[in-house]
Amino acid sequence: MVRAAQRPPEVLFVCVHNAGRSQMAAGLVKLRAGAKIHVRSAGSTPADELNPAVLEALSELGVDISGEFPKPLTDEFVQAANVVMTMGCGDACPIYPGKKYEDWKLDDPAGQDLDTVRRIRDQLDQRVQTLIGELLPENAASDD
């Protein structure tokens, strides 16, 4: 399949509060794929602020999402995405034809200690790298 070079794939990560899993996944895509993939995150019921343990766990990998904030899920975000990855938001995400949807079963980092958040981060990182490999098979994700 030939993909237009000027349009990177669009990925949307959705969880309930957009304070943990979806923010981590978006930050990891930016780390691993840079501008080759356009990524957004949103929540079905956004929290007031990001989970501090998530900020710390990502900073250990050199990912700074401190400028991010929980955002509400909108039809516009879903319509713009080629791939919608949900994490525990149930039926809150609208379904549009022609989009790839996948639900990632992961623990919620809310209220968890840093070691647990690191484990969730590492699980997300593995899944993100697999996703990048699927979306950009000619440029498999690297760890550099």
Side-chain angles (χ1 to χ4, degrees):
M1 178 176 142
V2 176
R3 183 178 289 126
Q6 71 274 17
R7 301 234 2 150
E10 298 237 3
V11 178
L12 173 63
F13 291 102
V14 182
C15 66
V16 176
H17 300 296
N18 191 224
R21 292 168 289 191
S22 56
Q23 292 279 357
M24 278 197 287
L28 290 164
V29 167
K30 290 174 185 174
L31 171 69
R32 303 288 181 209
K36 294 176 186 168
I37 295 176
H38 185 260
V39 63
R40 297 181 201 212
S41 69
S44 53
T45 309
D48 292 330
E49 62 186 12
L50 297 181
N51 180 331
V54 165
L55 292 170
E56 185 170 345
L58 282 178
S59 71
E60 293 172 355
L61 297 181
V63 178
D64 180 8
I65 63 165
S66 61
E68 295 293 334
F69 58 93
K71 295 170 273 312
L73 178 62
T74 66
D75 280 351
E76 176 188 348
F77 281 3
V78 178
Q79 288 176 336
N82 303 102
V83 178
V84 179
M85 307 306 271
T86 60
M87 295 171 256
C89 63
D91 296 330
C93 190
I95 305 293
Y96 291 97
K99 312 249 177 251
K100 175 184 175 182
Y101 290 87
E102 191 173 326
D103 187 51
W104 286 354
K105 305 280 188 228
L106 293 156
D107 292 336
D108 187 345
Q112 302 292 339
D113 62 33
L114 185 57
D115 284 338
T116 302
V117 174
R118 285 181 181 126
R119 181 182 50 76
I120 296 166
R121 174 204 64 201
D122 293 345
Q123 291 171 345
L124 272 169
D125 196 19
Q126 291 175 347
R127 291 178 187 213
V128 158
Q129 290 185 54
T130 299
L131 176 64
I132 292 168
E134 292 169 1
L135 294 174
L136 305 172
E138 67 281 359
N139 308 2
S142 66
D143 288 330
D144 54 4

